[in-house]
Amino acid sequence: QGQLVESGGGSEQAGGSLRLSCTAAGYYRTLCMGWFRQAPGQEREGVAAVDVEGTIRYADSVKGRFTISRDNAKRTLTLEMNDLNSEDTAMYYCAAGPLKRCNGWQNQNNFASWGQGTQVTVSS
């Protein structure tokens, strides 16, 4: 069984940037990998996803501000977050699942494996 480990969370002021990383130990060419986030009192929501061939999906709320990328050789997933605002404050989770072209990526039930999460806090 593989393991997903996130890093890179922290606190930032509005307008700033943060970079999240996920190391996918034990995973080999997992079809779809993505980032989800969950704010207190809210449901977990999909942020972005990328499949093994490079198909990328973004939530409307982060388009133009966040960039997802993966390095299959290094088994890492990265989320570059720019122009942060207070609504981006949440626990961010890395996830992996057998989704071809990441179809259905915004349904968390389609992802079988999850990391422990890393906290992102944006102050205004």
Side-chain angles (χ1 to χ4, degrees):
Q1 184 71 24
Q3 184 178 14
L4 301 174
V5 179
E6 303 97 336
S7 62
S11 297
E12 183 59 76
Q13 291 186 335
S17 300
L18 284 172
R19 183 171 188 255
L20 305 184
S21 295
C22 172
T23 300
Y27 288 88
Y28 180 67
R29 292 183 64 82
T30 298
L31 284 180
C32 182
M33 297 190 70
W35 289 97
F36 285 73
R37 66 186 181 186
Q38 187 168 21
Q42 297 187 22
E43 294 187 354
R44 190 172 297 186
E45 63 172 356
V47 175
V50 55
D51 83 343
V52 66
E53 296 182 348
T55 299
I56 291 176
R57 315 282 189 183
Y58 290 108
D60 288 343
S61 59
V62 305
K63 281 181 181 177
R65 300 188 299 121
F66 290 11
T67 302
I68 190 171
S69 61
R70 66 187 283 174
D71 185 324
N72 293 324
K74 296 181 179 179
R75 300 179 184 177
T76 58
L77 180 72
T78 301
L79 185 68
E80 300 277 358
M81 305 186 294
N82 298 313
D83 193 21
L84 289 163
N85 59 59
S86 58
E87 294 183 350
D88 296 318
T89 295
M91 185 71 79
Y92 282 71
Y93 298 90
C94 175
L99 306 177
K100 188 174 182 180
R101 297 180 62 81
C102 286
N103 289 329
W105 72 279
Q106 289 182 297
N107 183 348
Q108 61 174 316
N109 295 320
N110 289 330
F111 288 82
S113 301
W114 294 84
Q116 293 299 307
T118 185
Q119 178 67 38
V120 171
T121 302
V122 183
S123 57
S124 57

